[in-house]
Amino acid sequence: MIDGILIGLSTAFTFQNIIFVVMGCLVGTFIGMLPGLGPMSAIALMIPVAASLEPSAGIILMAAVYYGAIFGGSTSSILINAPGVASTVATSFDGYPMAKQGKAGKALAIAAYSSFSGGVIAALLLLIAAPYLASVSLSFQSTDYFALMVLGLSAVAAFAGKGEVLKALLMTVVGLMLSTVGTDQTVGVPRFTLGMIDLVDGISFLLLVMATFALSEALMAIIKKVDESKREAERKAASELGSMKITKEEVKEMVPVIGRSSVLGFIIGVLPGAGATIASFLAYGTEQRIAGPVKGKEFGKGSVRGLAAPETANNAAATGSFVPLLTLGIPGSGTTAIMLGALIGYGIQPGPRLYIDQPDVFWSVIISMWLGNIILLVLNLPLIPHIARVLAIPARFLLPLILFFSLIGVYFVSFNTFDIQLMVLFGLAATILRLLSFPMAPMILGFILGGMMEENLRRALLISDDSWSFLWERPLTLSILLIAAACLFVPMLSPVIAKMRSKTQDAPSAD
């Protein structure tokens, strides 16, 4: 291992590769900031450039673009509530409320520090444990992945307000239903398309998230008709940016959150098919439960923990996703699938022997991640005051811009006007549901996990001859399901337990 690390250091710290890391971080951050684009688009744009480079330099460039896009994806989520990437949806839950409170600078700084910490810690874990984690990753079967998806869905309790767990569950079901629209990938039969050819490929994630967050946010602002004095006060607060300084109390609050979320995000990232999105939602839900009843109420209203947890986890998961890619040749997401194609294009076959046969590629990518995260922090912190000026734009200009970029972002993905019509329809429906206090996050979570959950459930049933006994036959599957049940029912039962305790305490004691 020491020899491999030395080879990685000598390869990654050449002048040429340092330039590629800087360039990749800049391009990735910029593309990640734009609603509608993301890591997959960023890496796809880099393929022609990377193809002309030697293998180690090309993969270092694409890796830098990848975690740069994840790093920059939080910006649009925090400033305008338009998460163009699935992994930054959870970031908007507390980042956007913080920005509306005149703390955009602090929100972006917390996101930057959390992303940096998650990436660095995960890179260290990757350096130490990559060869060993490959075998652990292989031990997971379809039944375990199905249980993992159920565990992810159990996080809906974290996104529900007091007494609104049922609404959160209903929205999760809506998300699962929407994920089934389109062609069944197993049998090739269209379902729930209403006879429309445009729905054969299913509903785009970008379309749904832009409609339910960015578009509905703009419509909500129009419907509420905030008075001019209040709007002017908000604009003034935004233009002042707010302090970027993080207090000692906030640092003390963030440190354990970053530690837990880094490990959780990395472990989720190691599992093929899980990825940064599940990691960010799980980290958010976990921290809300750990926070307790008092601090837990701050989540969704500008909580430091609620912002730090998903930002740390999604960057740690992005780094962790290189474990199955490099050691098994299994892409964990669409983004790493593109990178797998690039590796094969170089004539490199990822697998257990990659770090032995071609250590310069394996170790240089890992070492470059440390360098890349430092560069991202150095580049982004000075830019925060300029980026946050977006909020200083008057509402009469900002709202049309949000609508414009949301619609154009969706249209440029498919070049289909039907998607625009469907997005407007979803946006109107989301606005009505928000007015009725239905949370949007559980629906997005259900939509994201629905496809993977169905695929793994079907595979598990095939393996077990259509028997549901797989739920308890494997100890790992059963353990994950029990944890999921506890995550879902404990928050639902805690108010009842609290009432029973208060009645017991209020009852007069017998002499």
Side-chain angles (χ1 to χ4, degrees), residues 130 133 234 274 435:
L133 287 171
E234 286 184 355
L435 290 170

Side-chain angles (χ1 to χ4, degrees), residues 287-326:
E287 288 305 322
Q288 186 169 18
R289 294 187 186 94
I290 293 173
V294 178
K295 286 286 185 180
K297 290 179 181 177
E298 297 176 6
F299 279 63
K301 300 175 184 177
S303 168
V304 172
R305 294 187 184 192
L307 177 55
E311 270 303 289
T312 304
N314 64 26
N315 279 270
T319 303
S321 66
F322 280 83
V323 172
L325 174 68
L326 295 176

